[in-house]
Amino acid sequence: MSQLTGVNAPVGDPGTAYTPAGLGRGVVPLRPLQAGEILDGAVTAMRTYPGVILGLSALVVALGQAVAIPLDYLYLHFLAGLVNGNTTLGSGTGINDLALLRPGVLLNALIVSLLVGLLTTAVARAVLGRPVTLGEVWAQTRPRLPRLLGLSLVIFIVLFGVLALGMLPGLLLAAAGSPAAALVLLLGLGGAAALAVNRWVAWSLAAAALVLEDQPVRRALKRSSTLVKGGWWRVLGVSLLGLLVAEMVALVFSVVQQVVVGSNLSPVSDNGDGTYSGHHVSLMYVFLGALFSAGIQAVVSPFAASVMALQYVDRRMRREGLDIQLAMSARARRDGSAGAAGTAAGAGAVGTAPGGGPEPGNGPAA
């Protein structure tokens, strides 16, 4: 569906990059993308617009950590107050495990979803090889920011709610001392995890659809599910590859963080005799932990967000022939056709008509 013919057809290998006349050379070829091209395009977009993509990411992450620092501090002090010198080894390690789910860690899970929407404008311009400024990104996303925040919260609450509900029967049986608790917990967690992954993949393009197509939250979720349909495994695979690359980068920073901060964020400490005591968590170490976390997220999050944004463009090219539409629009603009002025020539400029077909929209390049 997406192979061009006629005078605008690419010459030679159909897998080579192709840019129609009227469009700049973008960070990815204007055709359905391979997994490696999506990952490479995400890195290229970051290198092409570092001030916008990395700068905006650093700003969002910094604001998130400013909220997380006092919450982390209060939460860790609360956990430390739950123990005393007679705490057993098991309960001590269990409380330290709870510290891994401190508010700052959970807040980071929201950041990537939010950044997908915020950075989609820049990535859409990068696909077309067109410049973009921070002011243009802000102008595009500012009216949609409340919906974008709402979308991120809805996805976060639903996914974690599914996991919590899946674990609940097993935890209740464990509290009652039932011998079947472990089996029920395992089955419940496995089923909940499968459902959560299914919804995470189906909704992974919702933020991009919300921003570029100006969709409300509910329709953005439905739009994402429609785009992912027929390519669920592909979207999952590329997303996991992106996460793997991001985690490898994050691991390097995490090693340094462990050396500097170490166990100072653990609310309980080992007494050396098999018991644990409450450990005073210093605000300085909470700040240092947040600083390292912000540094990691500022590098990793824009890459993950760019991968998701490029997957949105790829799915639209595969399902709706967006590359052909852009080529036709570019040729009309080049030839000065009568309708060219009203035709949008951007990756986000083609919206969805009420009947499901493409129509010009208010995209970043419109």
Side-chain angles (χ1 to χ4, degrees), residues 312-331:
Y312 165 84
V313 175
D314 176 58
R315 292 307 302 166
R316 293 205 60 188
M317 289 193 291
R318 290 176 180 275
R319 288 186 60 89
E320 301 171 353
L322 180 62
D323 48 341
I324 295 178
Q325 297 172 36
L326 292 174
M328 293 174 62
S329 176
R331 181 164 58 179

Side-chain angles (χ1 to χ4, degrees), residues 63 66 80 100 107 138 145 154 164 188 231 293 353:
L63 291 175
L100 299 176
L107 189 62
W138 177 244
L145 193 56
V154 166
S293 180

Side-chain angles (χ1 to χ4, degrees), residues 93-161:
T93 56
I95 291 176
N96 276 341
D97 290 339
L98 288 176
L100 299 176
L101 296 177
R102 60 186 183 273
V105 174
L106 298 178
L107 189 62
N108 285 338
L110 291 171
I111 289 177
V112 172
S113 179
L114 180 61
L115 280 175
V116 171
L118 291 174
L119 298 180
T120 292
T121 299
V123 175
R125 289 288 186 92
V127 169
L128 301 176
R130 294 183 174 177
V132 64
T133 65
L134 191 59
E136 290 172 331
V137 172
W138 177 244
Q140 174 76 14
T141 56
R142 180 175 57 83
R144 301 162 173 80
L145 193 56
R147 279 178 287 156
L148 191 57
L149 289 170
L151 175 68
S152 300
L153 286 172
V154 166
I155 294 176
F156 179 83
I157 291 172
V158 169
L159 296 186
F160 276 86

Side-chain angles (χ1 to χ4, degrees), residues 4-33:
L4 296 174
T5 59
V7 295
N8 268 359
V11 178
D13 183 3
T16 59
Y18 167 63
T19 304
L23 292 180
R25 182 168 295 277
V27 297
V28 292
L30 195 58
R31 56 166 170 72
L33 305 172

Side-chain angles (χ1 to χ4, degrees), residues 224-365:
S224 177
S225 297
T226 300
L227 290 174
V228 171
K229 187 177 180 180
W232 190 92
W233 287 105
R234 175 183 173 80
V235 174
L236 173 64
V238 175
S239 299
L240 291 179
L241 280 175
L243 288 176
L244 177 62
V245 173
E247 287 303 315
M248 290 176 63
V249 175
L251 181 62
V252 177
F253 291 95
S254 297
V255 171
V256 180
Q257 179 183 15
Q258 186 63 29
V259 172
V260 176
V261 180
S263 62
N264 290 289
L265 290 179
S266 301
V268 295
S269 57
D270 190 351
N271 293 324
D273 58 357
T275 64
Y276 279 72
S277 298
H279 177 262
H280 174 69
V281 179
S282 169
L283 181 61
M284 180 186 71
Y285 280 105
V286 174
F287 176 79
L288 285 176
L291 188 63
F292 275 103
S293 180
I296 294 171
Q297 288 297 319
V299 174
V300 170
S301 295
F303 173 77
S306 297
V307 168
M308 290 301 185
L310 287 174
Q311 287 211 81
Y312 165 84
V313 175
D314 176 58
R315 292 307 302 166
R316 293 205 60 188
M317 289 193 291
R318 290 176 180 275
R319 288 186 60 89
E320 301 171 353
L322 180 62
D323 48 341
I324 295 178
Q325 297 172 36
L326 292 174
M328 293 174 62
S329 176
R331 181 164 58 179
R333 294 166 76 98
R334 180 197 62 185
D335 296 341
S337 300
T343 304
V350 183
T352 303
E359 65 175 5
N362 297 321

